[in-house]
Amino acid sequence: MTLKTAALSAALVLVAAAVVPLSSQGRGGGGAQGSAVVLRPARVFDGEAMREGWVVVVRGQRIDAAGPAASVTVPADARAIDLPDTTLMPGMIEAHSHVLLHAYNETSWNDQVLKEPESLRVARAVNHLKATLEAGYTTIRDLGTEGAGYADVGLKQAIREGIIPGPRMLITTRAIVATGTYAPKGFSPEWTIPQGAEEADGQSLVRVVRDQAGRGADWIKVYGDYRAGPNGEAMPTFSLDEMKLIVQTASSIGRPVVVHASTPEGMTRAVMAGAETIEHGDGGTDDVFQLMAQRKVALCPTLAAGDATTQYGGWKKGTDPEPANIRRKRESFGRALKAGVAIAAGSDVGVFPHGENARELELMVAYGMTPLAALAATTSVNARVMHMETQIGRIAQGLQADLVAVAGDPSKDIAAVRRVQLVMKAGALVRGGK
Ligand SMILES: [Zn+2]
């Protein structure tokens, strides 16, 4: 190629780039408004049940049709994507992430909060978001920047505007803690140490809830208990009245409240105040879980976080006997299942590497859930918990074309969700589909 023709082709590429509409998430799957794509997997998990012999038609950003091949009219111009031996499912949803954190065995949480520049944390988050999307997670609820200010606001915007690839984000900005109860801790009391969340108490909660919402929080995240006891044990922080004030202020402006709580009293106050999801819930008793089931409060158990931190602490899983904290977690998860609490799939990813979100589904099954229920948790249940059930979480006509194809049948072997063959977000192919 001569210099002149090289320059000419470069110019042509530029022209072509200029006329092709910017695809925010990747190569066009559904393509331009008119053209359609038909996906032909071995089976479809529609968010609730496994369906053999289904096809799915995508047009533009949405699912145009889904059903048995014989009953779905495939447009003559549709591009076919054959996905033999795969299961096509709704794009997975992560209900509890921290994209501004990275694995604690790389850098402790304290050092991430105190020593890492916010710009470094954002740079890492860009990679984390890409890894999350490529793992088949097309929506995440990110539950606090943990010292990285309002950085989630810009990341969410960058994804929405197609500047970086990543899942659709629901965000909480800084999250809220009661004064003196959070971390980093252990410094001379003369110093004021930056905290991993915003402190507020009493009436100031009203201002902080509104302030976080005004700066971009979709949900209000609150720490209902923390290791604030005299011996560092987990104890309730906000009073019931404070918790009610938070929920009242947030719900008045359309923000649901999500509460970190692992003590029975912290969980109970959150439920009584009107929180919509409880995170962790390790110490949940039969009574607390029955109350949650009655009030339709979902539990996001974050099984993968404890599993990871216990291994970072020296537990050799598979060799050593099961430590007491893991046994307690397995038992309390069992009590929640028995009580009929809605289980949201949220892993606390960030504690462990992003893109490994599926650990949560594997542990849910290992701790007693059926694979089909775990699949529903990460799709239709999470969509409902996030008030997005008319947009995502199922494969049905009119919903966003958020789709993931995995090799094998995850209702028989949940680990199949890791074998991602194709990812589509809002009709745009992110991975696979040639
Ligand atoms: Zn968390």
Side-chain angles (χ1 to χ4, degrees):
M1 193 186 283
T2 67
L3 202 61
K4 202 171 157 189
T5 55
L8 183 63
S9 21
L12 284 172
V13 168
L14 283 176
V15 170
V19 295
V20 172
L22 263 181
S23 165
S24 58
Q25 322 303 341
R27 288 167 290 133
Q33 290 301 332
S35 66
V37 170
V38 56
L39 299 148
R40 296 201 189 100
R43 68 195 71 77
V44 167
F45 173 70
D46 67 359
E48 273 142 23
M50 205 56 89
R51 317 283 189 179
E52 300 289 331
W54 273 31
V55 297
V56 176
V57 179
V58 172
R59 190 184 289 278
Q61 296 189 355
R62 293 183 183 277
I63 297 166
D64 200 43
S71 68
V72 169
T73 312
V74 176
D77 65 334
R79 181 167 86 88
I81 299 177
D82 286 314
L83 297 160
D85 308 318
T86 71
T87 302
L88 188 69
M89 26 188 284
M92 289 184 280
I93 302 168
E94 169 63 72
H96 188 140
S97 65
H98 296 280
V99 298
L100 286 145
L101 290 173
H102 62 105
Y104 294 3
N105 63 339
E106 295 169 2
T107 309
S108 72
W109 180 88
N110 269 19
D111 283 355
Q112 293 189 46
V113 171
L114 293 175
K115 296 183 181 173
E116 292 188 346
E118 189 171 310
S119 48
L120 173 69
R121 298 183 65 184
V122 170
R124 284 186 185 278
V126 168
N127 291 344
H128 298 159
L129 287 160
K130 182 168 188 277
T132 305
L133 182 60
E134 288 180 350
Y137 284 79
T138 48
T139 303
I140 62 172
R141 185 179 64 156
D142 203 62
L143 292 185
T145 61
E146 306 287 342
Y150 306 93
D152 53 351
V153 175
L155 289 165
K156 175 185 171 176
Q157 189 177 344
I159 291 169
R160 206 177 47 221
E161 294 182 6
I163 297 165
I164 60 168
R168 200 175 281 107
M169 288 179 82
L170 294 177
I171 57 171
T172 55
T173 73
R174 295 172 64 191
I176 304 174
V177 290
T179 298
T181 62
Y182 200 42
K185 249 192 175 15
F187 297 86
S188 164
E190 286 85 357
W191 301 118
T192 299
I193 304 300
Q195 295 290 287
E198 186 169 11
E199 294 184 329
D201 318 274
Q203 282 300 317
S204 79
L205 285 163
V206 175
R207 190 192 61 77
V208 169
V209 166
R210 289 181 185 145
D211 188 56
Q212 292 191 358
R215 290 174 199 265
D218 299 302
W219 282 65
I220 299 301
K221 160 85 180 279
V222 181
Y223 286 78
D225 54 31
Y226 205 72
R227 296 190 287 273
N231 303 302
E233 65 272 46
M235 294 196 84
T237 54
F238 292 114
S239 67
L240 178 58
D241 283 344
E242 285 176 313
M243 203 59 96
K244 283 180 177 167
L245 193 58
I246 292 165
V247 173
Q248 207 172 46
T249 307
S251 66
S252 173
I253 47 174
R255 266 51 162 217
V257 173
V258 38
V259 179
H260 163 119
S262 61
T263 62
E265 177 60 19
M267 293 171 73
T268 303
R269 288 182 198 175
V271 175
M272 296 313 288
E276 295 200 10
T277 75
I278 303 275
E279 311 301 301
H280 316 299
D282 294 46
T285 60
D286 287 334
D287 287 350
V288 173
F289 287 132
Q290 274 157 24
L291 182 69
M292 286 177 68
Q294 274 166 24
R295 303 271 174 135
K296 300 201 185 327
V297 176
L299 173 71
C300 193
T302 67
L303 307 176
D307 180 79
T309 53
T310 309
Q311 290 183 69
Y312 298 160
W315 174 38
K316 289 185 182 55
K317 194 176 175 179
T319 308
D320 295 349
E322 194 168 74
N325 65 315
I326 298 289
R327 196 194 65 241
R328 279 198 302 271
K329 184 71 180 167
R330 181 193 292 274
E331 288 167 0
S332 79
F333 183 64
R335 284 195 291 276
L337 286 180
K338 201 175 90 207
V341 176
I343 306 290
S347 64
D348 221 352
V349 64
V351 171
F352 60 94
H354 294 274
E356 287 277 312
N357 310 58
R359 284 189 193 184
E360 185 70 16
L361 307 182
E362 292 171 339
L363 287 164
M364 284 167 134
V365 172
Y367 289 11
M369 210 173 191
T370 67
L372 209 60
L375 293 173
T378 196
T379 55
S380 57
V381 174
N382 272 0
R384 195 168 62 239
V385 165
M386 294 184 194
H387 304 274
M388 296 179 79
E389 68 272 22
T390 59
Q391 302 164 58
I392 59 170
R394 285 177 301 121
I395 296 184
Q397 188 181 29
L399 268 67
Q400 289 285 310
D402 287 2
L403 300 165
V404 51
V406 302
D409 182 350
S411 71
K412 296 201 166 76
D413 171 19
I414 192 66
V417 296
R418 290 174 177 270
R419 299 194 285 273
V420 173
Q421 308 293 302
L422 170 143
V423 179
M424 181 182 276
K425 182 186 157 200
L429 280 168
V430 172
R431 179 173 172 179
K434 288 223 177 76

